[in-house]
Amino acid sequence: MTNSILKRARSDIIEIKPYSSARSLYKKQPDMIFLDANECGFEPYIGAENLSHYPDQQPAQLTDTLCRLYDVSSRNMAVTRGADEAIDCLIRVFCVPYQDNIIICPPTFAMYEHSAGIQGIEVKNAPLTGNFALDTNLIKKESDQNTKLIFICSPNNPTGNLMNNEDILTLCNSFKDTALIVVDETYIEYSKNGASVLPNIENTPNLVVLRTLSKSYAAAGVRCGSTIAQKDIIDLILKILPPYPIPQPVVETVSKILTSDNLQRLTDKRADLLNRKQRFITKLKTIDIVETVYPSDANYVLIKVKDSKTFVQSCLQNNLIIRDQSYQFKLENCVRISIGSESEMDKLLAIMRDEELPALPKQRIATVNRITNETAISVRINLDTQSPITIKTGIGFYDHMLEQVAKHGGFSLELECDGDLEIDPHHTIEDCAIALGQALKKALGDKRGIVRYGFTVPMDEALAQATIDLSGRFYLKFDGNFPENMVGDLPTDMVKHVFRSFAENLQAALHISVEGENTHHMVEGCFKALGRSLCQAIRRDDGDNDLPSTKGAL
Ligand SMILES: *Cc1c(COP(=O)(O)O)cnc(C)c1O
């Protein structure tokens, strides 16, 4: 059965024959030889894979993963370059220039109006009510026989609130033979109470849902959006997509983002972000210039301040960018703030309180991303602040040990590792130590002003001692025998290994000795002592910019 809403699509688009690209005629199979599209038979650089030939129009590997993510069938899915391209395509398929119109519900996302404008399509406004809810009666009133699309954003950008799904379905019913209801669910993953309207797709011929990896999957740089609707609508969109719209690197990157482990990681990170948002909102409410904090179901908050222009300007002077929404309908003096890291939010709060921001010396920050066949690691280190410290290696006891190093070292350390723990913890432990040493070396930079040497005192029943010289030369001396083979999930024969990899990559001389009876105490003592030594060695002497060496280089 054909979807009756198709009658509302542009008749010329329905008639037009899809451009048959070389790759749409014959899908890639391993033993096929393709001499049909003037591609090259060799890869563009050493180590490149699958780049020399055009990708499929809709790479199956990608659509399959996205369909699993959103729990929809592949016949209901079109993948585009971000949700932005989907908005453009929907207007193109349904609206006849200089004749048809769309309805938007301001204040809302600016792209609907922008795309319509580019294509010569009129935009009718059915503003949200006082508390930013849909005004379904007004939408019906504004519509006419040339209304083809109604855009609804839920949670709405920039107001941050969810729309009522029953209102949305009522609209679908009212317009079932005349207009598409396009529900932009870019931020739905952040909503605690929000349910997607996706389960209604099969029963609702004129419902279209937009999703994207940009905002809730931390992948705005990838440009990967999904349009989900009944098959006939999807087929029309696929018909007008540009040739080979999904670059091969996007396909491969998305497959790394959407592994089940990483999805769990992203869920945890979203939860952290929402907690940060809650703390930020609590603090916002104590600030003088803030008049209203609007409820938010997304990763940003909309606030009304006394004078948005001055506020945005003073942020800018401090190198902090927020978005003034005053130009939007009913949003005078409102600004939208994305939730960033704790220290970024603290900086913003300090600006709002008009506090004197200390002129900090340039912070020693470094990131290292180290990827091998065995492990993928990212490390971020800031030697001039003490938080955050978050360590996720997959080995609980090792996390705890690296935490000791950063905590007692007095620096911020964020380390994540995805390693081949199914084989054994060896690679993960060693590679994390390598990456940590590299990051520390990078953060120390030219080492000007540092103290260079570190010392420590013994602690606990176990006597652990670590001394370090950030000399630029590697040396390790390790004295210690652990009574047990394992401590927690960490093999103790790896402990010496960790210090070796770390010192070698930091290019430091490290002497560690430990004696005692309890393996847990002995191991923990070593890591704590290392932290304490580092704490002293990496400090910068006040006002001192000298190199602590007569050689002139370290
Ligand atoms: C950011 C945003 C988009 C754009 O998504 P892309 O997938 O990056 O193109 C779409 N809709 C809303 C409401 C947005 O805020």
Side-chain angles (χ1 to χ4, degrees):
M1 195 184 67
T2 337
N3 187 335
S4 67
I5 200 73
L6 285 199
K7 290 201 215 75
R8 300 288 284 161
R10 275 170 55 186
S11 56
D12 43 354
I13 298 284
I14 293 180
E15 297 299 316
I16 213 165
K17 267 183 33 193
Y19 170 71
S20 75
S21 65
R23 208 55 72 244
S24 63
L25 289 175
Y26 301 99
K27 289 223 158 34
K28 278 197 210 156
Q29 281 173 40
D31 51 354
M32 276 184 163
I33 300 166
F34 286 102
L35 301 177
D36 60 341
N38 301 348
E39 299 142 314
C40 278
F42 48 85
E43 292 291 334
Y45 60 88
I46 295 169
E49 268 182 275
N50 301 320
L51 294 181
S52 62
H53 285 63
Y54 285 114
D56 288 332
Q57 191 66 10
Q58 292 278 289
Q61 183 195 341
L62 179 67
T63 33
D64 289 352
T65 342
L66 288 168
C67 285
R68 244 176 287 130
L69 177 68
Y70 300 128
D71 194 19
V72 297
S73 150
S74 61
R75 67 171 187 275
N76 297 125
M77 159 81 76
V79 187
T80 55
R81 288 169 291 195
D84 284 335
E85 187 175 48
I87 294 165
D88 190 73
C89 287
L90 282 162
I91 296 175
R92 198 182 300 275
V93 166
F94 279 85
C95 299
V96 178
Y98 308 107
Q99 172 190 309
D100 289 340
N101 65 67
I102 65 167
I103 294 180
I104 64 171
C105 305
T108 193
F109 185 48
M111 195 54 71
Y112 316 134
E113 180 164 10
H114 182 72
S115 278
I118 289 173
Q119 300 189 43
I121 307 302
E122 187 194 347
V123 176
K124 289 172 174 277
N125 290 313
L128 298 173
T129 65
N131 53 0
F132 302 137
L134 285 175
D135 189 338
T136 49
N137 287 329
L138 186 58
I139 292 173
K140 283 177 218 165
K141 219 174 99 198
E142 283 298 320
S143 68
D144 61 23
Q145 78 275 14
N146 292 324
T147 300
K148 295 289 185 68
L149 305 172
I150 298 165
F151 282 95
I152 294 167
C153 190
S154 177
N156 186 40
N157 179 3
T159 58
N161 61 305
L162 279 169
M163 299 297 143
N164 182 322
N165 282 359
E166 275 174 25
D167 284 351
I168 294 174
L169 295 176
T170 308
L171 281 174
C172 289
N173 198 37
S174 312
F175 288 91
K176 81 172 176 296
D177 297 317
T178 55
L180 286 187
I181 310 298
V182 184
V183 184
D184 183 341
E185 293 187 334
T186 289
Y187 299 96
I188 194 82
E189 286 87 348
Y190 287 107
S191 168
K192 285 195 175 136
N193 317 311
S196 170
V197 291
L198 271 180
N200 300 288
I201 286 286
E202 283 296 6
N203 305 326
T204 321
N206 60 336
L207 175 64
V208 179
V209 177
L210 304 182
R211 300 290 282 264
T212 169
L213 300 186
S214 290
K215 309 295 182 18
S216 6
Y217 296 84
V222 175
R223 310 302 296 127
C224 181
S226 299
T227 310
I228 301 155
Q230 291 204 350
K231 182 181 182 321
D232 314 58
I233 298 172
I234 294 300
D235 287 347
L236 279 182
I237 291 169
L238 294 178
K239 208 167 164 180
I240 65 150
L241 278 183
Y244 322 110
I246 310 295
Q248 185 63 23
V250 170
V251 179
E252 275 155 35
T253 306
V254 172
S255 76
K256 290 179 194 158
I257 296 172
L258 299 184
T259 61
S260 57
D261 282 355
N262 196 55
L263 283 173
Q264 186 53 52
R265 169 182 167 275
L266 286 170
T267 303
D268 296 346
K269 293 229 169 224
R270 276 197 294 269
D272 290 348
L273 185 149
L274 292 178
N275 289 334
R276 269 201 310 284
K277 179 176 81 173
Q278 226 35 62
R279 289 196 294 275
F280 177 64
I281 287 175
T282 311
K283 291 178 192 162
L284 271 182
K285 290 183 173 161
T286 66
I287 289 180
D288 241 16
I289 63 163
V290 178
E291 299 204 326
T292 316
V293 181
Y294 295 98
S296 161
D297 261 292
N299 62 336
Y300 52 86
V301 277
L302 183 75
I303 63 171
K304 187 176 180 118
V305 293
K306 292 201 169 112
D307 175 1
S308 64
K309 243 200 180 120
T310 313
F311 173 41
V312 170
Q313 199 57 36
S314 57
C315 286
L316 189 58
Q317 275 159 10
N318 288 291
N319 279 336
L320 200 154
I321 319 293
I322 51 174
R323 194 86 183 249
D324 197 339
Q325 297 287 338
S326 292
Y327 72 95
Q328 290 247 30
F329 187 77
K330 280 190 188 154
L331 295 190
E332 212 188 322
N333 284 323
C334 289
V335 292
R336 190 192 62 200
I337 300 167
S338 316
I339 303 301
S341 70
E342 197 85 46
S343 61
E344 288 164 349
M345 300 331 278
D346 285 344
K347 178 167 177 176
L348 178 61
L349 289 163
I351 297 170
M352 295 177 99
R353 294 193 197 102
D354 204 17
E355 285 167 7
E356 200 65 42
L357 291 171
L360 294 170
K362 207 167 154 13
Q363 296 197 319
R364 293 169 298 171
I365 298 173
T367 56
V368 166
N369 291 303
R370 188 176 187 278
I371 296 167
T372 67
N373 286 337
E374 291 149 355
T375 58
I377 299 171
S378 34
V379 188
R380 184 177 194 276
I381 211 166
N382 183 345
L383 299 182
D384 296 303
T385 179
Q386 304 195 353
S387 65
I389 298 174
T390 51
I391 319 278
K392 288 192 177 132
T393 63
I395 304 164
F397 196 83
Y398 192 40
D399 288 357
H400 184 45
M401 292 304 100
L402 295 181
E403 227 174 287
Q404 300 302 320
V405 175
K407 180 82 193 153
H408 292 276
F411 55 88
S412 153
L413 173 63
E414 292 163 276
L415 186 150
E416 282 184 288
C417 175
D418 179 11
D420 55 355
L421 292 177
E422 68 286 359
I423 299 176
D424 77 4
H426 187 107
H427 298 134
T428 296
I429 295 170
E430 176 167 347
D431 291 358
C432 287
I434 292 173
L436 178 59
Q438 288 174 345
L440 204 51
K441 179 164 186 287
K442 200 168 155 190
L444 283 167
D446 64 8
K447 299 184 183 168
R448 275 189 187 282
I450 63 163
V451 176
R452 177 174 171 183
Y453 300 103
F455 313 91
T456 186
V457 276
M459 45 180 294
D460 260 23
E461 129 277 334
L463 193 68
Q465 186 167 317
T467 53
I468 196 167
D469 176 14
L470 301 175
S471 57
R473 295 181 308 276
F474 163 59
Y475 190 86
L476 176 76
K477 188 160 190 311
F478 183 86
D479 269 329
N481 288 304
F482 300 112
E484 309 278 344
N485 290 333
M486 292 292 288
V487 49
D489 48 359
L490 181 74
T492 47
D493 65 348
M494 288 303 293
V495 172
K496 178 177 177 185
H497 221 73
V498 166
F499 295 130
R500 168 179 297 278
S501 302
F502 172 76
E504 189 172 357
N505 286 277
L506 175 60
Q507 288 291 290
L510 178 62
H511 292 236
I512 294 190
S513 62
V514 61
E515 49 192 71
E517 288 155 24
N518 178 307
T519 307
H520 186 137
H521 286 166
M522 290 169 73
V523 171
E524 184 156 342
C526 290
F527 280 91
K528 275 187 175 155
L530 172 63
R532 284 284 151 187
S533 292
L534 277 174
C535 180
Q536 294 179 33
I538 65 177
R539 281 312 95 187
R540 285 190 287 207
D541 269 345
D542 261 355
D544 191 348
N545 196 32
D546 271 1
L547 209 56
S549 163
T550 52
K551 284 207 288 276
L554 271 181

